[in-house]
Amino acid sequence: PQLYDKIKYFARFPQTGVSLRQMVLFGQKPSQGTLFKASQFLHEELPIRLAHRVKELDELPQNLSHMPSIVKVKNWYAQSFQELIDLKAPQISNAMREQLISRSEHLPHSVPNPSLAKMIKPQNVLQTSVPIAHRYYNNIEQVDCSPEIIDYTSTFVKTIEKVKRRHDPVVTTIAQGILEYKEHLNSPVIDTEIQRFLDRFYMSRIGIRMLIGQHVELYRGPSRKNYVGVICTKTKLREVAMDAVANAKFICEEHYGLFKAPEVRMFCPGDIEFMYVPSHLNHMLFELLKNSLRAVVERYGSDYEDEYPPIKLIIAHGKEDITIKVSDEGGGIPRSGIPLVWTYMYTTATAQELEPEFSQSDFKAPMAGFGYGLPISRLYARYFGGDLKLISMEGYGTDAYLHLNRLSNSDEPLIYTHEEDFIQYKEQPSIQYDEQIEAVSG
Ligand code: W6P
């Protein structure tokens, strides 16, 4: 009850975006003072983002928001919110205060309940932190950090690491919630509203985890060469691709009991190096390759091992984009089936497959996931201003285009809308699952 008032209050603040470029400019050799400043920013930004998620989970259509797994996820967000606002920020010196300006000037115009504002304000982080990302993304050097501040910075890192770990199973648990909802419904329709919600929700999750991952890595000190936090300023595309190919082939061989998975031929002009998050890139490529391998093996069967048509991985780079095309001859999918590929409600997974031990982490997925791999990969691409598109030739094969923006100055997508994704559903809102599936399978 009181917690929910606080959540409502925080959800009135706008979320503050951070671009890849800002993260990199900021993260070079952070001083203690800079790390403290970063903690201050996150200490208010994370509760705001978490509060927005709780609010949205609450505002889902009743039947869905009451599904046990959805409630479970909502409680994780509320608990993480609470842990963050319960963590006391230390007193700061006047010298430091000058460098950290209050966010209160950005308070929503009307506070729902003035006494509520008073209740929250005095001991809260809102008083001392910076309002916008570019204020935050200034490294500061000449600040003398008290033992309290050092102590706070270290406790803060532990707190957000714990938050991140708590939320590891969010994707599978939400998927479970969607299953519960589908069982609960008599006529499962593809719900545009739910689709939008999940796109927004998972996009936000990517952002929150990026901010936490980045902060934790910066605090733990310089890891590998060319890395700033989890960002690699010289991501070697060919290396990441080769790694993803090896992993996808291995998974494919295991899953189908093959001696040798279909060949993947890579066409890569030189050694492309660009700024990116290698784990995101690996995740997207792995996902695309798995889909292509599956299509080829299932089209030709397991007795065809040495004659599978190879999958082509073609890499191109221009001024603006780096594009990776994954091309298979796995028989393709009909044009009408393409929109279904991006939906979360169209999944063939069973409850058993969603058991925690089945797929625990973000970056470890089985051969045939629960159908969230592609929509989530597209969100990863879009998070840094890229995109993911599928073009299929029914009866022949499929091309997946992964576009990555190499300028890396796109803003963090906080209000996530891609209206063009929904045109299909708008025009045929009453089409039901089973009819669509039939349409797809012939
Ligand atoms: C298919 C279906 C698909 C989805 C994504 C990537 C590649 C492929 N190939 O047949």
Side-chain angles (χ1 to χ4, degrees):
Q2 213 186 34
L3 175 62
Y4 267 74
D5 286 342
K6 289 188 191 180
I7 288 172
K8 267 192 216 146
Y9 177 77
F10 271 72
R12 294 175 68 95
F13 287 84
Q15 309 173 85
T16 300
V18 182
S19 72
L20 185 61
R21 167 153 302 184
Q22 284 176 312
M23 289 186 210
V24 168
L25 286 179
F26 170 73
Q28 325 267 8
K29 287 205 180 164
S31 64
Q32 275 292 345
T34 305
L35 282 171
F36 174 64
K37 201 175 172 187
S39 311
Q40 291 266 307
F41 171 76
L42 288 180
H43 203 161
E44 68 172 21
E45 181 60 19
L46 293 175
I48 290 170
R49 294 196 186 192
L50 295 171
H52 278 269
R53 305 291 78 77
V54 174
K55 185 166 173 272
E56 288 183 1
L57 283 165
D58 250 350
E59 289 169 356
L60 280 174
Q62 270 241 334
N63 294 334
L64 181 55
S65 71
H66 290 169
M67 291 301 140
S69 298
I70 303 293
V71 174
K72 201 195 234 178
V73 169
K74 190 168 70 188
N75 290 339
W76 289 335
Y77 278 81
Q79 191 182 345
S80 298
F81 173 88
Q82 174 140 50
E83 280 176 16
L84 282 165
I85 64 165
D86 283 350
L87 179 66
K88 282 254 169 53
Q91 292 295 317
I92 55 171
S93 66
N94 287 335
M96 185 173 283
R97 194 179 298 276
E98 265 169 40
Q99 302 186 54
L100 305 166
I101 60 173
S102 168
R103 191 178 185 127
S104 43
E105 61 199 76
H106 293 260
L107 276 167
H109 290 303
S110 60
V111 173
N113 171 355
S115 65
L116 178 64
K118 233 188 279 162
M119 169 182 86
I120 294 172
K121 266 181 169 179
Q123 17 68 286
N124 201 272
V125 288
L126 284 175
Q127 286 292 2
T128 52
S129 355
V130 282
I132 44 175
H134 79 256
R135 283 290 302 211
Y136 153 62
Y137 286 100
N138 278 327
N139 294 29
I140 53 174
E141 300 298 333
Q142 297 88 314
V143 170
D144 121 65
C145 289
S146 64
E148 266 171 296
I149 285 180
I150 309 259
D151 202 45
Y152 161 76
T153 313
S154 133
T155 312
F156 182 72
V157 165
K158 290 188 191 115
T159 307
I160 60 177
E161 275 181 315
K162 190 170 160 207
V163 167
K164 187 161 183 272
R165 226 175 305 120
R166 171 178 301 125
H167 293 249
D168 281 345
V170 159
V171 177
T172 42
T173 311
I174 290 277
Q176 228 151 14
I178 297 294
L179 272 185
E180 289 159 9
Y181 181 61
K182 276 165 69 176
E183 272 164 31
H184 171 94
L185 285 181
N186 282 330
S187 57
V189 289
I190 294 168
D191 192 319
T192 309
E193 199 191 322
I194 292 170
Q195 181 69 18
R196 275 173 211 273
F197 162 76
L198 289 174
D199 273 332
R200 222 172 332 116
F201 186 80
Y202 290 133
M203 183 62 108
S204 157
R205 181 172 184 269
I206 291 170
I208 291 170
R209 295 176 78 80
M210 179 75 201
L211 289 182
I212 294 180
Q214 195 63 10
H215 186 80
V216 169
E217 283 295 307
L218 291 183
Y219 180 82
R220 300 263 178 249
S223 46
R224 288 149 289 182
K225 194 164 162 271
N226 297 326
Y227 273 75
V228 182
V230 297
I231 301 163
C232 179
T233 54
K234 291 186 174 166
T235 305
K236 291 188 169 64
L237 183 45
R238 179 207 278 281
E239 265 179 31
V240 178
M242 275 171 32
D243 195 43
V245 168
N247 289 334
K249 283 175 78 168
F250 177 78
I251 290 279
C252 175
E253 284 157 6
E254 292 265 286
H255 185 264
Y256 292 104
L258 298 176
F259 179 65
K260 227 168 170 12
E263 188 195 346
V264 179
R265 284 196 195 142
M266 180 152 60
F267 300 84
C268 183
D271 274 337
I272 298 176
E273 289 182 350
F274 69 124
M275 185 162 76
Y276 212 74
V277 180
S279 62
H280 290 189
L281 185 57
N282 182 47
H283 178 79
M284 295 183 286
L285 289 173
F286 178 62
E287 190 57 41
L288 292 177
L289 288 162
K290 269 192 318 177
N291 277 284
S292 287
L293 287 166
R294 176 168 59 179
V296 171
V297 173
E298 293 193 353
R299 184 184 192 191
Y300 293 93
S302 329
D303 303 326
Y304 204 77
E305 291 210 21
D306 286 324
E307 288 155 278
Y308 291 129
I311 290 158
K312 283 181 274 181
L313 203 152
I314 297 161
I315 298 170
H317 66 295
K319 280 204 190 81
E320 201 177 304
D321 267 359
I322 291 169
T323 305
I324 303 152
K325 178 166 76 171
V326 182
S327 234
D328 69 59
E329 293 175 28
I333 46 181
R335 218 148 34 96
S336 65
I338 295 280
L340 288 177
V341 163
W342 307 113
T343 63
Y344 301 97
M345 291 196 68
Y346 171 67
T347 168
T348 50
T350 61
Q352 184 258 318
E353 284 171 328
L354 294 174
E355 286 299 308
E357 62 270 22
F358 212 84
S359 55
Q360 301 141 341
S361 74
D362 260 353
F363 294 107
K364 207 181 107 216
M367 183 68 199
F370 43 90
Y372 283 24
L374 286 172
I376 286 178
S377 292
R378 187 169 70 174
L379 295 179
Y380 275 111
R382 287 176 175 176
Y383 181 69
F384 287 125
D387 209 350
L388 173 59
K389 294 172 193 229
L390 283 192
I391 305 277
S392 199
M393 292 166 73
E394 191 183 9
Y396 178 75
T398 303
D399 291 342
Y401 291 86
L402 178 59
H403 301 282
L404 307 171
N405 191 303
R406 75 174 323 171
L407 305 174
S408 61
N409 56 0
S410 65
D411 291 329
E412 191 185 2
L414 294 171
I415 305 161
Y416 176 81
T417 44
H418 265 268
E419 284 306 317
E420 66 269 33
D421 294 344
F422 299 103
I423 291 164
Q424 288 271 351
Y425 314 132
K426 270 186 205 149
E427 283 171 354
Q428 21 178 278
S430 63
I431 283 220
Q432 303 219 332
Y433 254 168
D434 296 349
E435 291 172 38
Q436 286 231 356
I437 291 164
E438 259 170 47
V440 171
S441 56

